[in-house]
């Protein structure tokens, strides 16, 4: 304030005709600035930092010596303004990170008998029953008990719509109760909960300095040397010390020192707003230069929400299928692994009463052990469950059948004996193919899948997604070796979610953890954490990082280029010191404003989106039709084994489905939906290929109906069966491909898909009147690849529990 007071007071004195007083006030302001800048330079030197403020120090000192008091006061005001601008820009760039830190809960309401007491959050232990009042933040990770819960997860994930949780569902700390009060049973302490981990990550992100920023410091020193040389040359060649002073006045490297860190921190802040926690500038800058991507499969490329498809108990040991599931789900309540959530969800759906486990231990890549109702329970791979002992004959037979069927299996042992097993299905994430395509567009040149699963399972998933290489049956140590091998070819990113991925995440140039449902250890080892459970956010993170780095370079070059131009003008006498100080201030402001672009925008043109009514209608119709598409294939497989009369009944029933449900849907799509989407996409008939597929579907159904109409009353002959099978297999393949294409198209245009991106708002379309749809069906995007997943029919075996 003293520098500004001196500057303004001196100007007022000069206007009143008191030139001596005015010069004295300007000089006083310059002296104060000289002292402040001198102290800052001294601190930089003592701490072995880049003391580039020496240029400003020399400029102010020179102005005082040459009696350029106005220039000295202006330089002092410029330095003060630069510090204020830096603080404002940094605060604005970090505001999303600061908001996350400020929301950290401090207390919890614990139920003790019939009473509820408020306790410090550090006093909460696993097993405590907590009350979350309306509007309060969930203090620790837990599972909902009692009433349903409505949660606002926008602060963590960027998703604007409240999420409903039913009893037994897991809830993460840091989310906000958007409905009535509800209770949770804690499954972790505060320090081990999701939000505490995010806070630690944010604190690390705030403290880190990007390599680009360190590079800016080094260039700033070089720029300082160049500036001193130019000032000395201007003074020596012209004999006018004022020209040397003018060069120093406009030579302060503030654009380089301010623009780069502001742009980097702006990118980190923007990532945080999108549910992506980047631990620091170094991670963001490395992410911007990434070339090779390695991904885990389970929980990363697969949907992360496997479902239990079968429960088998070995009758010689136990005679209750549901007891096998209940014991396994009880033990798995405390794990954050996707398979654990699937077991708990299956038990809740069957209304099984779960017990809280004790002495739980989780072994990466193998399974879990603990005590449930006083019994020793082990859940995981067959080897883990059996503890090296021979499997019972029923268990061996089950394992052989599961291997042939390609099922994912989890074995359960109680008190040392294997009592049963569960089969699960883990579909591919719907956003995986879109994400991989987007990553290739932004510069990722090689994609490798690294998994502990069986090679045939991994190869099938890899072929579906189009990865460049598949590394299967890799242990945590072998994953680390794969990362190190890839690093020799370029800057490498590793994405994973499990405990066994943590070493590979730490070994990669950039480790990325699927933190929404992944293990805490993987989040701690990673450089980037995707708080929202969507793989496509990683592609967004890469785009943000590349844009932030580009803006940092652009802003630094802009500021330094303008400074060099001004220095040249000053050296030739076209820019006096006072005017140079004002110009340098303008250059600083321009560089900082340029750097702040990294904190917003970045996706260019707004992406179009379907309206909410049409999105819901399409979801509802596909939800009803997709599960029935396999009926076409099933009929084709069965008719040659049925009696003629039964075969005719099957064919006629399928004909009714095709005529009454499928064809009306496809005709409505062609007449009502495709015109709307075509207007959104622009161009001349962008959905021509999709309409051509409709025509092929109509053609195959017409052939089917003709063949059915020519059948003898008794049923199809052997020749008829061959014709029906040829038509039905072709129809099934076309339908699966067509519905998968539509699902991905609708997902990319869904209003709900875009609603959480403020820079990508939905665009209202001129839609025809539509029937009001019932309550929203599950998000369309979650079914994109379910139709094309080759693992659903003939999945190869997974030898153990992939953790």
């Amino acid at each position: 304030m003293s520098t500004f007071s001196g500057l303004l007071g001196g100007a007022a004195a000069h206007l009143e005709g008191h030139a001596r007083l005015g010069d004295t006030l300007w000089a006083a302001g310059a002296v104060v600035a000289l002292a402040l800048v001198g102290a800052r330079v001294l601190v930089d030197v003592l701490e072995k930092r880049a003391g580039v403020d020496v240029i400003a120090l020399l400029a102010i000192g020179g102005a005082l010596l040459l009696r350029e008091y106005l220039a000295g006061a202006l330089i002092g005001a410029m330095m003060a303004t630069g510090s204020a601008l830096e603080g404002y820009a940094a605060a604005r760039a970090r505001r999303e990170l600061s908001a996350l830190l400020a929301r950290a809960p401090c207390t919890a309401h614990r139920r003790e008998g019939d009473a509820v007491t408020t306790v410090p959050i550090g006093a909460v232990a696993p097993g405590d029953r907590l009350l979350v009042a309306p509007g309060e933040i969930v203090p620790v990770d837990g599972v909902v008990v009692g009433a349903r819960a409505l949660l606002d997860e926008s602060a963590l994930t960027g998703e604007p719509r409240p999420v409903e949780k039913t009893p037994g569902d897991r809830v993460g700390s840091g989310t906000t109760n958007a409905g009535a009060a509800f209770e949770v049973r804690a499954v972790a302490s505060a320090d081990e909960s999701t939000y505490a981990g995010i806070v630690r990550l944010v604190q690390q992100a705030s403290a880190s300095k990007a390599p680009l920023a360190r590079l800016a410091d080094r260039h700033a020193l070089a720029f300082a040397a160049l500036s001193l040389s130019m000032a000395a040359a201007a003074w020596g060649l012209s004999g006018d010390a004022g020209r040397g002073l003018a060069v120093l006045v406009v030579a302060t490297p503030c654009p380089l020192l301010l623009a780069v860190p502001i742009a980097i921190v702006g990118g980190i802040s923007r990532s945080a707003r999108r549910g992506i926690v980047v631990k620091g500038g170094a991670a963001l800058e490395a992410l911007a230069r990434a070339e090779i991507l390695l991904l885990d499969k389970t929980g990363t490329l697969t949907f992360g929400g496997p479902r239990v498809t079968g429960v088998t108990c070995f009758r010689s040991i136990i005679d209750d299928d549901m007891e096998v599931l209940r014991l396994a789900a009880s033990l798995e309540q405390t794990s954050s692994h996707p398979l654990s959530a699937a077991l708990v969800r299956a038990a809740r759906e069957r209304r099984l009463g779960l017990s809280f486990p004790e002495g739980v231990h989780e072994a990466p890549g193998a399974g879990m052990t603990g005590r449930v109702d006083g019994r020793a329970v082990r859940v995981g791979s067959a080897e883990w469950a059996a503890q090296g002992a021979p499997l019972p004959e029923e268990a061996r037979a089950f394992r052989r059948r599961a291997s042939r069927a390609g099922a994912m299996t989890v074995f359960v042992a109680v008190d040392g004996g294997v009592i049963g097993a569960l089969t699960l299905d883990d579909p591919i994430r719907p956003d995986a193919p879109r994400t991989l395509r987007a990553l290739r567009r932004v510069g990722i040149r090689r994609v490798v899948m690294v998994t502990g699963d069986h090679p045939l399972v991994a190869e099938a998933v890899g072929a579906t997604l189009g990865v460049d290489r598949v590394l299967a049956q890799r242990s945590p140590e072998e994953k680390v070796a794969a990362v190190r091998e890839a690093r020799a070819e370029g800057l490498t990113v590793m994405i994973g979610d499990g405990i066994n991925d943590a070493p590979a995440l730490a070994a990669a140039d950039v480790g990325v953890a699927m933190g929404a449902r992944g293990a805490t250890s993987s989040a701690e080892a990673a450089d980037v954490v995707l708080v929202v459970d969507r793989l496509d956010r990683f592609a967004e993170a890469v785009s943000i990082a590349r844009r932030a780095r580009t803006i940092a370079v652009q802003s630094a070059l802009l500021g330094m280029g303008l400074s060099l131009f001004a220095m040249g003008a000053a050296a030739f006498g076209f820019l006096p010191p006072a005017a140079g100080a004002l110009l340098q201030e303008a250059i600083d402001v321009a560089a900082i404003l340029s750097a702040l672009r990294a904190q917003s925008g970045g996706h260019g043109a707004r992406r179009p989106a379907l309206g909410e009514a049409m999105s819901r209608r399409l979801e509802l119709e596909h939800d009803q039709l997709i599960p029935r598409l396999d009926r076409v294939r099933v009929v084709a497989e069965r008719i040659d084994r049925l009696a003629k009369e039964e075969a005719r009944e099957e064919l006629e029933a399928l004909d009714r489905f095709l005529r009454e449900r499928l064809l009306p849907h496809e005709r409505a799509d062609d007449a009502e939906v495709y015109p709307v989407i075509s207007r959104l996409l622009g161009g001349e008939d962008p959905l021509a290929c999709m309409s051509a597929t409709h025509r092929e579907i109509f053609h195959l159904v017409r052939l089917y109906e003709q063949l059915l109409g020519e059948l003898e009353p008794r049923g199809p002959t052997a020749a008829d069966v061959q014709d029906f099978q040829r038509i039905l297999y072709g129809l099934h393949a076309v339908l699966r491909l067509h519905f998968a294409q539509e699902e991905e198209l609708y997902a990319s245009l869904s209003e709900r898909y875009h609603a959480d991106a403020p820079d990508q708002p939905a665009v209202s379309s001129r839609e025809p009147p539509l029937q009001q749809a019932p309550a929203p069906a599950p998000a369309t995007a979650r079914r994109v690849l379910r139709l094309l997943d080759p693992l659903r029919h003939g999945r190869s075996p997974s030898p153990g529990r992939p953790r």
Side-chain angles (χ1 to χ4, degrees):
M1 289 297 295
S2 57
T3 55
F4 279 102
S5 299
L7 179 62
L8 296 176
H14 272 278
L15 289 175
E16 293 294 330
H18 304 293
R20 184 180 295 275
L21 176 61
D23 287 345
T24 301
L25 292 174
W26 282 340
V31 168
V32 172
L34 184 70
L36 294 175
V37 175
R40 194 157 64 188
V41 169
L42 180 61
V43 171
D44 287 342
V45 171
L46 292 176
E47 296 184 358
K48 298 181 179 180
R49 292 202 305 258
V52 291
D53 285 332
V54 69
I55 297 179
L57 184 68
L58 293 175
I60 297 173
L64 289 172
L65 289 174
L66 297 177
R67 298 180 183 277
E68 292 281 354
Y69 301 125
L70 175 58
L74 284 170
I75 297 170
M78 178 188 71
M79 296 299 294
T81 304
S83 297
L85 284 171
E86 180 182 10
Y88 164 76
R92 177 179 169 185
R94 295 178 187 272
R95 63 188 178 188
E96 305 299 336
L97 303 180
S98 301
L100 284 174
L101 295 174
R103 293 182 70 257
C106 300
T107 60
H109 307 303
R110 184 167 61 193
R111 181 176 290 282
E112 298 174 352
D114 294 332
V116 176
T117 58
T118 301
V119 298
I121 192 169
V124 176
D128 286 351
R129 190 157 176 162
L130 307 175
L131 176 69
V132 184
E136 287 189 343
I137 295 172
V138 178
V140 298
D141 293 350
V143 294
V144 177
V145 294
R148 292 172 177 258
L150 190 65
L151 295 175
D152 176 6
E153 300 180 343
S154 59
L156 298 183
T157 67
E159 301 286 352
R161 289 177 175 79
V163 178
E164 187 177 272
K165 300 287 186 178
T166 58
D169 285 346
R170 191 181 179 100
V171 295
S173 59
T175 56
T176 303
N177 182 5
F182 68 95
E183 293 186 352
V184 298
R185 186 184 299 279
V187 298
S189 65
D191 290 341
E192 297 171 342
S193 290
T194 302
Y195 199 73
I198 292 172
V199 168
R200 287 193 293 272
L201 300 179
V202 171
Q203 290 170 338
Q204 294 176 34
S206 302
S208 178
K209 197 173 191 181
L212 200 62
R214 292 195 292 269
L215 186 64
D217 291 342
R218 293 196 294 272
H219 286 322
L221 285 174
F223 183 80
L226 174 64
S227 302
L228 292 173
S229 300
M230 287 186 64
W235 183 3
L237 293 175
S238 68
D240 182 2
R243 290 195 184 184
L245 174 62
V247 170
L248 292 178
V249 167
V250 296
T252 55
C254 290
L256 191 60
L257 293 176
L258 298 182
V260 172
I262 286 172
I264 295 297
V265 174
I268 293 173
S269 180
R270 183 160 181 263
S271 297
R273 188 168 70 243
R274 301 293 295 142
I276 307 159
V277 177
V278 183
K279 289 188 179 180
L284 189 82
E285 203 272 331
L287 192 61
R289 298 185 292 113
E291 299 177 277
I292 299 173
L293 174 64
L294 291 89
L295 307 98
D296 177 44
K297 182 183 76 68
T298 304
T300 302
L301 284 174
T302 52
F303 179 64
R307 298 193 63 85
V308 174
T309 56
V311 182
T312 303
C313 67
F314 306 135
R315 300 294 176 182
S316 61
I317 302 170
I318 192 172
D319 200 33
D320 187 354
D321 290 351
M322 293 303 100
E323 180 64 8
V324 174
L325 176 58
R326 190 190 74 82
L327 291 171
S330 295
L331 178 62
E332 298 283 351
Q333 287 180 95
T334 59
S335 174
S336 59
H337 194 276
L339 292 184
S340 303
L343 299 186
V344 174
R345 181 171 58 249
R348 296 291 183 186
E349 290 172 351
R350 292 162 175 79
R351 303 183 183 278
L352 302 179
L354 301 184
S355 303
F356 202 77
E358 300 175 345
V360 177
H361 170 70
E362 187 167 2
M368 296 185 68
T369 182
R371 301 193 69 82
V372 177
D373 297 334
R375 307 171 72 182
V377 179
R378 298 175 72 88
V379 179
S381 65
E383 292 77 11
W384 170 261
Q387 303 181 70
L391 287 172
E393 177 56 36
E394 288 183 82
R396 290 198 299 271
F398 171 84
R399 196 178 189 185
R400 288 193 298 270
R401 291 194 304 272
S403 296
R404 288 193 296 269
M408 182 187 302
T409 59
V410 173
F411 286 80
V412 182
V414 175
D415 295 331
V418 178
I419 65 168
L422 305 107
T423 54
L424 301 98
D425 179 38
D426 188 14
I428 295 172
R429 281 181 178 270
D431 52 354
R434 185 168 57 248
T435 299
L436 296 185
R437 291 197 302 271
L439 289 170
R440 292 186 189 277
R441 288 195 298 270
V442 298
I444 298 294
R445 58 182 175 83
R446 191 163 183 234
V447 180
V448 180
M449 186 175 74
V450 187
T451 178
D453 268 3
H454 192 278
L456 295 178
V457 177
E459 290 288 350
V461 174
T464 301
L465 296 176
V467 302
D468 299 307
R469 187 183 180 190
V470 175
L471 302 176
Q473 284 186 329
R474 291 303 198 265
S475 66
E477 293 78 11
E478 290 170 328
K479 288 185 178 182
V480 172
V483 169
R484 289 174 176 165
E485 179 185 346
R487 289 184 66 181
E489 303 176 25
L491 199 145
T492 300
V493 178
M494 171 71 191
I495 307 180
D497 77 316
I499 294 174
N500 62 332
D501 296 320
L505 297 181
D509 293 302
V510 182
V512 180
M514 303 291 293
R517 285 187 286 184
T520 302
S521 59
S522 63
E524 295 289 350
D527 303 293
V528 179
V529 179
L530 306 182
V531 179
V532 59
D533 191 38
R534 280 170 46 172
L535 184 60
D536 58 0
R537 289 294 169 89
F538 172 67
E540 192 170 345
V542 174
S543 297
I544 291 172
R546 290 182 182 273
R547 183 169 186 268
R549 188 174 188 273
T550 299
I551 287 175
V553 173
Q554 290 174 346
S555 302
L557 291 177
L558 169 68
M560 300 314 293
L562 292 174
S563 291
L564 286 171
F565 177 79
M567 287 164 59
F572 285 99
F574 298 113
L575 194 62
L582 292 174
L583 178 60
Q584 182 59 42
E585 184 75 358
I587 291 173
D588 289 350
V589 171
I592 289 173
L593 291 177
S594 174
L596 284 173
R597 291 180 295 139
Q599 209 252 338
S600 61
H603 286 277
R606 294 178 175 179
R607 294 190 295 180
L610 289 171
E612 182 75 7
M614 179 169 283
S615 294
R616 289 190 175 186
R617 166 186 149 175
L618 294 174
E619 285 180 7
L620 176 65
E621 291 180 354
H622 277 209
D623 277 342
Q624 294 172 344
L625 286 172
I626 284 175
R628 304 185 66 178
L629 294 182
D630 269 354
R631 186 176 178 186
V632 178
R633 176 187 55 82
V634 170
V635 171
E637 292 174 346
R638 293 185 58 194
I639 55 175
D640 60 346
R641 300 195 302 268
L642 296 175
K644 288 187 175 182
E645 294 80 4
E646 293 176 337
R648 184 183 182 95
E649 291 176 2
E650 288 273 359
L651 293 168
E652 289 176 344
L654 178 59
D655 180 57
R656 288 192 295 272
F657 163 71
L658 296 175
R659 286 187 292 102
E660 298 173 6
R661 298 296 308 279
L662 180 67
L663 292 186
H665 167 77
E666 301 299 340
R667 291 191 181 104
D669 276 359
D670 218 33
E672 299 177 17
V673 179
Y674 284 12
V676 173
I677 295 178
S678 296
R679 287 195 295 269
L680 291 174
L681 297 178
E684 185 176 348
D685 199 7
L687 298 184
C689 59
M690 304 287 283
S691 295
T693 308
H694 278 163
R695 292 193 295 273
E696 180 63 21
I697 293 172
F698 299 151
H699 170 67
L700 290 172
V701 173
R702 185 167 56 253
L703 291 179
Y704 177 82
E705 291 177 340
Q706 289 175 352
L707 187 58
L708 185 63
E710 296 170 359
L711 275 186
E712 298 179 1
R714 291 179 300 173
T717 64
D720 291 333
V721 166
Q722 291 181 356
D723 289 339
F724 275 119
Q725 287 179 326
R726 175 178 54 81
I727 293 172
L728 292 179
Y729 282 131
L731 177 61
H732 180 247
V734 173
L735 287 173
R736 288 174 61 201
L737 178 61
H738 180 62
F739 269 71
Q741 291 172 331
E742 284 189 333
E743 287 282 285
E744 186 159 356
L745 174 65
Y746 298 159
S748 66
L749 294 175
S750 171
E751 190 168 79
R752 272 170 279 179
Y753 177 78
H754 295 285
D756 59 337
D759 54 331
Q760 302 168 15
V763 177
S764 177
S765 59
R766 294 172 294 173
E767 299 175 12
L770 298 172
Q771 276 188 329
Q772 181 64 36
T780 303
R782 295 186 177 181
R783 306 184 310 270
V784 174
L785 283 185
R786 191 173 71 194
L787 295 159
L788 294 178
D789 186 358
L791 308 182
R792 294 184 65 81
H793 304 290
R795 184 190 301 268
S796 298
S798 176
R801 179 180 189 170
R803 281 187 177 270

